[in-house]
Amino acid sequence: MPTTGPNVPFSNGPAAEQIVKIRETLLMMASLTDRNLSLAMRSLVDRDEKLAASVEAEDSQLDELEVAVDELVINHMATHAPVATDCRFMLVASKISSNLERIGDQAVSIARRSLELNREPLLKPLIDIPRMANMAEGMLRDGITAFVDRKPELAQGIIKRDKEVDMINKQLARELTSFMLEDPTTITRALNLTIVARCLERIADHCKNIAEEVYYLYQAVDIRHERAAGA
Amino acid sequence: MSQTSPTTMMDESTPNTQTAEVASPQNKPAPAVEQAARLNAPTVIDINNVDFHYGANKALHNIHFPIKEKLVTAFIGPSGCGKSTLLRCLNRMNDLIDDTRVSAGSIKISGVDIYHPSVDVIELRKRVGMVFQKSNPFPKSVYENVVYGLRLQGVNDKSRLDETVERSLRGAALWEEVRDRLHSSALGLSGGQQQRLCIARAIAVEPEIILMDEPCSALDPIATVKVEELIHQLKQDYTIVIVTHNMQQAGRCSDVTAFFYMGRLIEIDATEKIFTNPSQKQTEDYISGRFG
């Protein structure tokens, strides 16, 4: 294990305490985000309205934690002027928290769509959407693992997985469009499913962003906006 | 703590190709490109495998790196790491301390070995000015402080002295503050003004290089900002080497930072690189406050 860096306290001083606090807050956010995404998907798959309501209720906690991370980051930067890994950690912590909060917002959108979808019969068996959700959840968990365990190579692998989620989303959009063309009474349900798929695609994008930030944190190389071939 | 070879990305023979290939979409040079270009400036001071002894105590071990023209190079490191010793080697100020010697290697300024017996040390110190930690104006007027070096050289032409005083005080960003009291005692100036007066005195003799040994450590934050702004202006005309304990100052002021530890050069690189992604763990630990 490394003996220094943002994940390992180097002393009992206030700087170390603040870094540990930021890290713990981020992990709390990640855990809550993961839970909300799972609840939102279960509310859709199991047609459970209570679960959908709980997602919306818990989202405010994520909002508060995002603000808390930014406050901790700005306080640390103002008082300790961090450099090198610590400096990158501050930038990355703020961006990861922002992405987690947005994943939380997408989970709320899924929960709202599921409330509407659950009022009507299923348009089609839910296969691709849970598959997308599994992939997005896997990307989120691996991103956080890469962050905690200092594994930039794991983070790099996540970036390629985003393309697969994008492909399923496009395929699903085409399929749902054909439903709507064939039978206009399916439009509301098909649109809601399209929105859910779109939310999952956006979640995968946020997971990719997190992975890029984790890679930058540990390798000091910015791999955003690179083509897949060069990534 | 284990020692490692210093990284010298500035070496012209091994250009930093990673940064040199970066370009922004608008075809403007990216910061990394500008930085690489700056670091490829001509070498003014060539420090070659220098060892230095205080009596039997070896204070510098095989120091080897170039100092580039019209850049600010900062020496950082914990107390006793040898950074001030090396700075004083650059204008042979250590000659004034008994039982000290450069025991190996050479230091060349513009290609001339400054420790060669034929070198005139007074002439060397004219070319390599120095500003100390504590401002040390002479108990004379502001004017006489600035022209002190010229008077030592035998210059007494009033118009030339007047011109030098104004040029030097403007160069030290002090002219507007003291133009009405040039003949008052320099000791009546504030600490920050005194330090800038010392810088004016150093540049009055038109050196090529200015050495600064913790020039802001005795100054308040406002005076520090003024001296730092001055350093930024002075690098248009001079090569500056600064020793500082203030990490943020090194980050703000310098183009190149060299980290020393226990008499050895651990790492030298572009300041942006040192403060964002140093190559050596020891450097990161030091600049992050983990030791020292």
Side-chain angles (χ1 to χ4, degrees), chain A residues 10 81 83-86 88 220, chain B residues 248 275-277 284-285 287 290:
Chain A
F10 50 82
V83 294
T85 311
D86 291 349
R88 296 200 300 277
Chain B
Q248 275 64 53
F275 283 91
T276 56
N277 185 28
E284 171 140 6
D285 286 351
I287 62 174
R290 290 182 173 90

Side-chain angles (χ1 to χ4, degrees), chain B residues 245-258:
Chain B
H245 272 125
N246 182 331
M247 292 300 102
Q248 275 64 53
Q249 182 170 64
R252 287 190 298 262
C253 289
S254 67
D255 303 293
V256 175
T257 297

Side-chain angles (χ1 to χ4, degrees), chain A residues 204-223:
Chain A
D205 286 346
H206 291 303
C207 294
K208 173 173 163 264
N209 294 345
I210 291 171
E212 288 166 343
E213 297 304 332
V214 171
Y215 191 84
Y216 173 69
L217 171 61
Y218 295 127
Q219 299 292 86
V221 176
D222 194 339
I223 55 171

Side-chain angles (χ1 to χ4, degrees), chain A residues 172-200:
Chain A
L172 199 55
R174 280 196 299 271
E175 188 185 349
L176 290 167
T177 305
S178 68
F179 270 95
M180 290 186 275
L181 288 170
E182 282 173 21
D183 180 2
T185 63
T186 64
I187 285 176
T188 308
R189 284 174 291 165
L191 278 178
N192 277 326
L193 286 174
T194 305
I195 291 168
V196 169
R198 172 74 181 151
C199 288
L200 291 168

Side-chain angles (χ1 to χ4, degrees), chain B residues 20-42:
Chain B
E21 288 170 3
V22 179
S24 66
Q26 292 79 28
N27 285 330
K28 288 180 186 169
V33 173
E34 289 179 356
Q35 173 188 309
R38 283 205 313 272
L39 299 186
N40 282 328

